Amino acid sequence: MSVNNLLKYDFKSIEEKWQKIWLEEKTFKAVEDADQPKYYLLEMFPYPSGRIHMGHVRNYSIGDVVARYKRMKGFNVMHPIGWDAFGLPAENAAIKNKTHPEKWTRENIDYMRNQLRRMGFSYDWDRELATCDPEYYRWEQLFFIKLFKKGLVYQKKTTVNWCETCQTVLANEQVIDGCCWRCDQAINPREMNGWFFKITDYADELLEGCDHLQGWPEKVLTMQRHWIGKSVGAEIDFPIKDFNESLKIFTTRPDTIFGATFMSIAPEHPLVARLAKGTPHEKEVADFVKRTILEKQQQNPENELEKKGIFTGGHAINPFTGKALPVYAANFVLMEYGTGAVMAVPAHDQRDFEFARKYDIPIRVVIQPEGNPLKTENIEEAHDGPGMLVNSGDFSGLASNKAKKAITDFAFDNKFGKKQTTFRLRDWGISRQRYWGSPIPMIHCKKCGVQPVPEQDLPVKLPTDVLFDQSGKSPLHKLESFYLTTCPKCGSTARRETDTMDTFVESSWYYARYCSPNYTTGPLKKKAVDYWLPVDQYIGGVEHAILHLLYARFFTKLLRDLGYLTVDEPFTNLLTQGMVIKDGTKMSKSKGNVVDPNDLVSLYGADTVRLFSLFAAPPERDLEWSDKGVEGSYRFLNRIYRFVIENLELLQKPLNTIPDSLNKAGRDLHRKTHQTIRKVSGDMDSHFHFNTAISAIMELVNTLFAETGENANEVVEPDVIRESVESILLLLAPMVPHFCEELWQLTSHVQPLSETPWPKFNAQAAKDDEITLVIQINGKVRSRLLVQADQDGEKLEKKALADKKVQKFIGDKQIRKIIVVKNKLINIVV
């Protein structure tokens, strides 16, 4: 092919060529190799919604750069891909389009697979999996049965979050601002049976583990710690007046118990209706409860509800004072936290203080801060800090920290209290009343109760011969061929469980299945998981901080305790990439500001799209979309392409050792090349700062053009040019792989770039000939000097003192000392 024919950057042909080579030659196939350090790179797998969007492109481009870079650094890299294929959107789309969820899902997977291949991502396609495959979820059903036998899965009747639109239950974590995380419609409470994983058994370990996840963003860890919500305090029984039972409360401040003037109880608490029954408050209380439950479910967690309450008509007796305290149903008390009831101490809790003022409830001071005594009559806000106990019977005079233990011990000794630890975290409800999910492998027998499906009968396959109506209700409840079965224990006719599992179950262990996706004799091949796990780098959105990431950590511990894994945590390092923003807001179809990656790839090529998404912002920041930015990335690649083609004869010759004696232009380009290798390597290793790495490569390209262009003063040694171009291609290879592979091949390299090591910089070559030396007087910058690098301190002192600006500032002042920091600054102290 002639140079004239090559001058046009034909990205379409180039990208199709290399994608075909990578696929056919299985370039990125990963195999365990005990002699090579492993690196497991994983992005959160996509839901097959039909099309990849720019968020996908950015996420997977970030991951692909890391995977390719680590491979060039000598690591044995595993970079798999698959499909989070179960879920409501497929079912809703099936109803809307009068098709089957599986057909809709499989077609989307096929389309999106082609899109991902078109982007040139370095996936090991032999490890591809889809969670809707029976070969995948059969093992999930096995885990369920084993956990059931260990008591870590159970069924109970409970008040659940019900989405009428989606016709299913949601876990607490899936309710966002009182709305369904999928359809954004308000949810309502409903009482029903459901299956639960006992994540609370692992609450302490999940919390403690946060301290060891050094490679995770602190924001994510803070969100998980808050969600787990550990509190240490006391559980104390307050006898209910005229009832033969007690109101059990949890408090982290038992030292304030003498200051309790009322009790607060969650509206959902079973005692509320009983306390109000037969009193003048009964109807009013019932209305309040109904209204409050709805308001709480629709509340944005970041916005506090106005504090409201209502007297239930009942009283509880303070076991320390014998006083009867009114019991209020209050909207700020959470049934899922502690016992669902608290003692209210308005003098020492701001929330209680505001509530007491609003409802004219007495305030009693029992903790006096040092040096600033509180008086009930003029208290303006609660004192919630430490101090000395007053008005607290025999405990008066104790420091509050000591009083906590003393009061708790007294309650324990007198059999009405104990030390207690409680968590905000609640067990994970995984039952879903929809069709498109993994069947729960349980059987209901009238004689034997609930029985697990025999392990040899797995998988319980999701039937495909189903009809959908517009209501959205699961067809499994009416499909006799599915639900009619026999009890594995007694052989009687029984009913199969028709709920399916929450799709977050599938995504909680997929990272482990990637290690041995085609293994058929068990869920995980021990040799493979022991080699590959944990995932070295996980990449995905911060919106998954509580849902997916917490569940995946929990499931890892479950699989460890079942003997399948030896690791405690799934992901060593976590990168949460920012969103793609256009016109000041997140890209979305509803806002009409979506940019279709297909259009961009057709117009500019996949490498240009990748380059822009990496250059426009650091990975953890939001990326502001810019059409000009995309065009600029395209021009940059064309500029390099033309230079290579126009200098092809020179660049096709082998690279020789760079001679020691170079002219100034040669030295400048040689130096810039090695400075760029050093800079890019550092940026790649430190928090994946691809944007600054690309900027450094652009500076090298500018230097290359300046030193070899028509206006250059000197002729650069050909080997220096070859070294510079090779370095540019090697450094850009993880970002724009098709482009670099093509130019690498054109410049007569036999070994493909994908098998070529990352370049090493020469520290001596990277040294500056001249440096700018900062001159300070008493720590303030007063002048700058251009000097030869690595000069000795005495020469530098003389030059600094001879500087006219320095002489002006020193005047006739006495010089006390001169501090020289080599190659950086001189500080003259006067």
Side-chain angles (χ1 to χ4, degrees):
M1 186 181 288
S2 69
V3 170
N4 287 335
N5 289 336
L6 286 171
L7 277 174
K8 181 178 182 295
Y9 169 36
D10 183 3
F11 58 81
K12 186 175 186 295
S13 297
I14 291 171
E15 291 175 358
E16 287 177 353
K17 167 188 168 181
W18 286 102
Q19 288 160 20
K20 187 171 184 288
I21 290 172
W22 294 332
L23 190 62
E24 290 178 352
E25 296 184 0
K26 297 184 184 293
T27 302
F28 307 109
K29 183 177 178 62
V31 179
E32 295 93 57
D33 182 353
D35 297 327
Q36 196 178 6
K38 68 92 180 179
Y39 194 87
Y40 184 177
L41 185 286
L42 183 63
E43 307 98 355
M44 294 178 186
F45 63 169
Y47 180 80
S49 57
R51 301 287 185 276
I52 65 169
H53 51 67
M54 284 309 301
H56 288 126
V57 169
R58 188 186 189 200
N59 185 15
Y60 301 142
S61 294
I62 291 168
D64 197 53
V65 172
V66 179
R68 288 175 178 273
Y69 171 68
K70 290 295 183 180
R71 187 174 286 108
M72 293 176 76
K73 292 284 283 186
F75 287 89
N76 183 21
V77 175
M78 180 167 79
H79 186 203
I81 188 65
W83 310 96
D84 190 8
F86 274 140
L88 284 172
E91 198 167 337
N92 291 340
I95 293 168
K96 182 179 178 181
N97 299 311
K98 296 182 179 179
T99 185
H100 194 282
E102 182 162 26
K103 182 175 183 292
W104 187 85
T105 300
R106 298 291 180 186
E107 288 174 353
N108 288 349
I109 287 174
D110 289 343
Y111 188 88
M112 292 175 71
R113 184 190 297 113
N114 288 332
Q115 285 187 296
L116 293 178
R117 284 178 175 165
R118 197 178 176 195
M119 292 303 303
F121 298 135
S122 59
Y123 295 130
D124 179 353
W125 285 102
D126 287 350
R127 294 177 184 268
E128 182 183 8
L129 58 79
T131 59
C132 62
D133 291 336
E135 294 77 15
Y136 181 85
Y137 66 73
R138 68 171 294 188
W139 304 118
E140 190 172 300
Q141 293 173 345
L142 177 66
F143 298 151
F144 187 100
I145 290 168
K146 288 184 177 295
L147 293 170
F148 174 76
K149 291 176 179 177
K150 286 176 68 76
L152 290 167
V153 170
Y154 65 94
Q155 189 181 38
K156 70 173 181 178
K157 181 167 281 189
T158 183
T159 300
V160 297
N161 306 303
W162 178 259
C163 177
E164 187 64 29
T165 303
C166 295
Q167 285 287 303
T168 193
V169 168
L170 304 176
N172 289 342
E173 295 88 339
Q174 294 166 330
V175 179
I176 311 297
D177 299 347
C179 297
C180 172
W181 74 293
R182 279 288 191 195
C183 70
D184 206 31
Q185 296 301 304
I187 58 99
N188 293 294
R190 177 179 286 192
E191 193 173 80
M192 62 196 313
N193 274 328
W195 290 97
F196 291 80
F197 283 154
K198 290 191 74 175
I199 191 172
T200 51
D201 277 16
Y202 289 80
D204 258 323
E205 189 182 354
L206 288 165
L207 184 63
E208 192 270 338
C210 290
D211 296 335
H212 303 291
L213 295 172
Q214 301 299 316
W216 284 41
E218 189 56 40
K219 179 182 179 182
V220 173
L221 296 174
T222 298
M223 292 168 75
Q224 290 210 0
R225 289 186 183 106
H226 175 72
W227 190 259
I228 296 166
K230 183 177 182 179
S231 298
V232 178
E235 197 172 81
I236 298 174
D237 295 330
F238 282 64
I240 302 172
K241 188 177 179 181
D242 300 327
F243 279 68
N244 189 27
E245 60 185 289
S246 295
L247 179 61
K248 194 179 293 294
I249 67 101
F250 172 78
T251 178
T252 58
R253 294 294 306 272
D255 54 318
T256 67
I257 197 164
F258 284 85
T261 58
F262 65 101
M263 310 294 289
S264 298
I265 189 169
E268 310 96 312
H269 199 292
L271 271 173
V272 171
R274 292 171 57 206
L275 290 172
K277 189 174 181 180
T279 72
H281 312 280
E282 185 172 4
K283 184 180 184 307
E284 196 178 3
V285 168
D287 291 344
F288 173 83
V289 168
K290 186 177 180 181
R291 184 171 62 251
T292 302
I293 290 174
L294 200 59
E295 287 176 353
K296 285 169 77 171
Q297 288 174 326
Q298 295 174 357
Q299 175 200 7
N300 182 332
E302 296 179 3
N303 301 326
E304 283 194 28
L305 286 171
E306 179 191 350
K307 296 169 186 63
K308 296 177 184 177
I310 190 168
F311 176 48
T312 62
H315 290 79
I317 309 300
N318 187 327
F320 281 88
T321 66
K323 292 182 179 179
L325 307 179
V327 180
Y328 281 77
N331 66 346
F332 53 79
V333 182
L334 303 175
M335 188 64 213
E336 62 269 20
Y337 179 78
T339 64
V342 296
M343 65 179 193
V345 187
H348 305 292
D349 182 280
Q350 188 60 29
R351 182 188 61 189
D352 295 342
F353 179 85
E354 294 170 6
F355 190 92
R357 282 286 170 90
K358 182 174 182 176
Y359 292 100
D360 198 24
I361 301 171
I363 296 174
R364 178 181 171 86
V365 173
V366 292
I367 304 284
Q368 284 290 2
E370 187 178 351
N372 188 21
L374 297 176
K375 294 183 180 179
T376 303
E377 58 270 19
N378 59 11
I379 188 170
E380 294 183 358
E381 63 179 3
H383 168 67
D384 58 5
M388 302 295 291
L389 266 67
V390 297
N391 303 320
S392 299
D394 294 341
F395 302 97
S396 294
L398 283 178
S400 51
N401 282 339
K402 289 185 177 179
K404 287 179 182 179
K405 183 178 186 306
I407 287 173
T408 302
D409 289 346
F410 183 89
F412 179 77
D413 292 341
N414 288 275
K415 296 181 173 51
F416 62 79
K418 63 179 180 179
K419 184 179 179 181
Q420 184 66 288
T421 299
T422 190
F423 293 88
R424 182 174 183 262
L425 183 68
R426 285 295 171 261
D427 284 339
W428 175 14
I430 59 97
S431 291
R432 297 295 177 267
Q433 292 67 43
R434 295 300 293 258
Y435 163 76
W436 191 235
S438 170
I440 293 175
M442 304 300 286
I443 293 170
H444 299 270
C445 175
K446 290 183 178 179
K447 293 179 182 178
C448 306
V450 179
Q451 299 294 318
V453 172
E455 292 180 13
Q456 65 270 21
D457 292 347
L458 298 178
V460 177
K461 288 188 178 181
L462 192 66
T464 56
D465 55 336
V466 294
L467 297 174
F468 293 91
D469 59 36
Q470 295 301 307
S471 70
K473 292 180 180 177
S474 171
L476 296 180
H477 306 303
K478 298 178 181 179
L479 192 65
E480 273 193 15
S481 60
F482 175 74
Y483 71 72
L484 270 188
T485 187
T486 56
C487 174
K489 189 173 182 181
C490 71
S492 301
T493 300
R495 184 180 180 94
R496 193 182 299 281
E497 175 64 68
T498 55
D499 282 357
T500 54
M501 291 193 216
D502 180 5
T503 55
F504 278 102
V505 179
E506 282 89 65
S507 61
S508 292
W509 72 283
Y510 79 107
Y511 72 91
R513 182 64 181 171
Y514 275 141
C515 298
S516 50
N518 303 309
Y519 189 55
T520 58
T521 57
L524 302 168
K525 188 177 181 181
K526 181 169 174 48
K527 181 184 175 184
V529 293
D530 285 352
Y531 177 80
W532 289 113
L533 294 181
V535 174
D536 295 281
Q537 182 67 59
Y538 198 39
I539 302 173
V542 73
E543 67 272 17
H544 299 290
I546 293 172
L547 289 164
H548 163 58
L549 290 171
L550 185 62
Y551 293 156
R553 292 185 61 218
F554 165 55
F555 228 82
T556 301
K557 299 174 195 310
L558 290 178
L559 296 182
R560 176 202 62 197
D561 293 348
L562 288 175
Y564 292 109
L565 300 179
T566 57
V567 297
D568 296 322
E569 295 286 350
F571 317 120
T572 302
N573 296 290
L574 172 69
L575 172 65
T576 52
Q577 90 282 353
M579 297 184 294
V580 179
I581 306 294
K582 188 170 186 285
D583 304 327
T585 186
K586 180 183 176 182
M587 279 190 183
S588 71
K589 291 179 182 177
S590 61
K591 295 184 175 69
N593 64 348
V594 170
V595 175
D596 190 337
N598 281 2
D599 295 342
L600 288 173
V601 172
S602 297
L603 195 59
Y604 298 107
D607 280 335
T608 293
V609 178
R610 289 170 59 122
L611 186 66
F612 168 74
S613 69
L614 296 163
F615 179 58
E620 70 278 5
R621 300 278 183 86
D622 289 346
L623 183 156
E624 183 68 43
W625 183 259
S626 164
D627 292 334
K628 289 183 178 179
V630 178
E631 291 164 5
S633 296
Y634 183 65
R635 286 196 301 271
F636 172 66
L637 294 182
N638 271 279
R639 191 181 184 207
I640 297 172
Y641 188 87
R642 283 195 303 273
F643 183 91
V644 171
I645 301 305
E646 289 169 357
N647 295 276
L648 205 52
E649 185 178 348
L650 180 153
L651 295 171
Q652 285 178 335
K653 294 176 182 177
L655 176 62
N656 300 305
T657 303
I658 305 296
D660 293 331
S661 56
L662 295 172
N663 58 26
K664 184 179 183 304
R667 286 199 310 274
D668 287 346
L669 182 56
H670 183 51
R671 182 190 316 113
K672 187 66 174 178
T673 297
H674 286 273
Q675 287 177 342
T676 304
I677 296 171
R678 180 178 61 191
K679 167 67 174 167
V680 173
S681 300
D683 286 346
M684 297 285 271
D685 286 328
S686 176
H687 306 297
F688 308 136
H689 288 162
F690 309 130
N691 58 321
T692 53
I694 294 168
S695 180
I697 298 169
M698 289 177 171
E699 288 181 18
L700 174 57
V701 171
N702 289 339
T703 302
L704 174 66
F705 273 79
E707 301 296 358
T708 61
E710 292 179 359
N711 298 323
N713 295 322
E714 298 174 299
V715 176
V716 176
E717 176 74 27
D719 280 312
V720 174
I721 298 173
R722 281 193 283 273
E723 175 194 50
S724 180
V725 172
E726 284 196 8
S727 298
I728 289 167
L729 296 180
L730 285 164
L731 296 176
L732 276 176
M735 290 96 160
V736 288
H738 316 85
F739 175 87
C740 292
E741 284 279 17
E742 182 69 12
L743 293 184
W744 190 256
Q745 188 182 71
L746 285 173
T747 50
S748 299
H749 292 89
V750 177
Q751 185 182 43
L753 255 182
S754 57
E755 297 173 17
T756 304
W758 186 256
K760 294 179 180 179
F761 75 92
N762 182 319
Q764 193 62 36
K767 278 188 176 181
D768 283 311
D769 283 354
E770 290 184 329
I771 59 165
T772 300
L773 191 76
V774 172
I775 304 178
Q776 298 177 336
I777 298 176
N778 291 345
K780 293 184 178 180
V781 177
R782 296 305 188 188
S783 188
R784 288 180 172 83
L785 289 177
L786 192 66
V787 298
Q788 290 293 310
D790 298 320
Q791 280 197 44
D792 64 64
E794 190 176 340
K795 287 183 179 178
L796 292 175
E797 287 180 20
K798 288 180 180 179
K799 288 185 178 182
L801 293 173
D803 184 82
K804 290 183 180 179
K805 290 181 182 177
V806 171
Q807 290 175 350
K808 175 185 173 184
F809 280 104
I810 293 176
D812 57 0
K813 296 178 184 136
Q814 183 180 352
I815 298 172
R816 295 169 58 194
K817 62 178 175 178
I818 300 176
I819 302 166
V820 179
V821 180
K822 190 175 180 180
N823 290 336
K824 287 189 176 181
L825 62 84
I826 290 182
N827 184 22
I828 303 169
V829 182
V830 296

